[in-house]
């Protein structure tokens, strides 16, 4: 069964950095766009970033709230997705999900989610 | 950014009831809308994509409809395991925004 497993979360001070990883298995990772979505404690879902696939030149999109601070990347040879988070702020505290994107054009949907990795930004 | 507004924010219903959740977009998104179900302590699951296409494995009691700015998720006959929070998300333009969620209590 296809799965995504995140790692790398933890406690970090404001202004610090953290790198999240996501290991994909049992599907052709390189074919898919991949997202990071986060959820602050007790709150709703917030889309963070997207990595397109090789066919789409690995281009990236970011939410305004993280643009310039976060970098999404991928290594198709390792079936892995990453999120480098710099200049972390208290409001970045959330459970971060790695998510597979299905579809194309304007009919994308997020069809496979990891279990999430918690990031806590606190002094 | 396109704003997605869900209503109601909470809903209490009984087993067997027909339940409808509404999602409104601040501008036209054609049919670029997905619905997700999230149970406590778990990651969301995809229910519906492209407004009305049911994801493989999702029970037939779930259906979606709508276009442009008005969308609905319907559960035709509520089951106890449908207790969850439901989110809509538009994929028409970046950023792909989510609605605020609708908590359904059975």
């Amino acid at each position: 069964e296809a799965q995504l497993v995140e790692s790398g979360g933890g406690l970090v001070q404001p202004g610090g950095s953290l790198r999240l990883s996501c290991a994909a298995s049992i599907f052709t990772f390189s074919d898919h766009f991949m997202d990071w979505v986060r959820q602050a404690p007790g709150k709703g879902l917030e889309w963070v970033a997207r990595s397109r696939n090789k066919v789409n030149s690995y281009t990236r999109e970011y939410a305004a709230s993280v643009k310039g601070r976060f970098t999404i990347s991928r290594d198709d040879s390792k079936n892995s997705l990453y999120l480098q988070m710099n200049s972390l702020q208290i409001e970045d505290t959330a459970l971060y999900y790695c998510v597979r994107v299905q579809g194309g054009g304007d009919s994308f949907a997020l069809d496979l989610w990891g279990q999430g990795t918690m990031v806590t930004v606190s002094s | 950014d396109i704003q997605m507004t869900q209503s109601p924010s909470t809903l209490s219903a009984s087993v067997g009831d027909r339940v409808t959740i509404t999602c409104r977009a601040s501008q036209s998104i054609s049919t670029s809308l997905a619905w997700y179900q999230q149970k406590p302590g778990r990651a969301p699951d995809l229910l519906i994509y492209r407004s009305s296409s049911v994801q493989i494995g999702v029970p037939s009691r779930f259906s979606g409809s709508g276009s442009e700015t008005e969308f609905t998720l319907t559960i035709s006959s509520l089951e106890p395991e449908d207790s969850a929070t439901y989110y809509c998300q538009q994929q028409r333009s970046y950023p792909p925004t989510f609605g605020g969620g609708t908590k359904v209590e059975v």
Side-chain angles (χ1 to χ4, degrees), chain B residues 2 8 11 36 39 43 48 51 55 64 70-71 73 75 84-85 91 94 98-99 101:
Chain B
I2 297 176
L11 182 162
Y36 304 90
K39 296 181 179 180
I48 305 287
S51 178
Q55 180 70 354
E70 293 268 341
F71 301 87
L73 173 70
I75 308 173
T85 300
Q91 291 276 1
Y94 289 95
F98 289 92

Side-chain angles (χ1 to χ4, degrees), chain A:
Chain A
E1 184 176 323
Q3 69 171 351
L4 298 166
V5 179
E6 302 94 336
S7 60
L11 175 64
V12 61
Q13 292 187 337
S17 297
L18 213 53
R19 189 194 195 210
L20 306 184
S21 299
C22 169
S25 58
I26 322 294
F27 69 93
T28 307
F29 178 78
S30 59
D31 284 349
H32 289 268
F33 293 12
M34 295 294 297
D35 283 2
W36 288 98
V37 173
R38 68 185 180 183
Q39 188 169 35
K43 303 297 184 182
L45 301 169
E46 180 187 15
W47 176 85
V48 173
R50 173 166 291 172
S51 170
R52 297 185 179 90
N53 56 13
K54 182 178 182 180
V55 170
N56 288 275
S57 304
Y58 296 125
T59 52
R60 309 164 188 179
E61 303 285 348
Y62 295 95
S65 58
V66 307
K67 195 168 186 179
R69 300 187 299 122
F70 290 12
T71 301
I72 188 171
S73 62
R74 62 194 293 163
D75 185 338
D76 289 351
S77 69
K78 296 182 178 179
N79 293 330
S80 293
L81 182 73
Y82 307 100
L83 187 68
Q84 177 66 43
M85 304 185 295
N86 298 330
S87 302
L88 281 161
Q89 303 166 356
I90 290 174
E91 50 267 35
D92 295 319
T93 295
L95 185 64
Y96 284 73
Y97 293 104
C98 171
V99 191
R100 185 178 73 181
V101 182
Q102 75 169 25
D106 57 4
S107 63
F108 292 115
L110 310 184
D111 74 331
L112 179 67
W113 297 64
Q115 85 287 352
T117 186
M118 187 69 200
V119 172
T120 302
V121 184
S122 174
S123 55

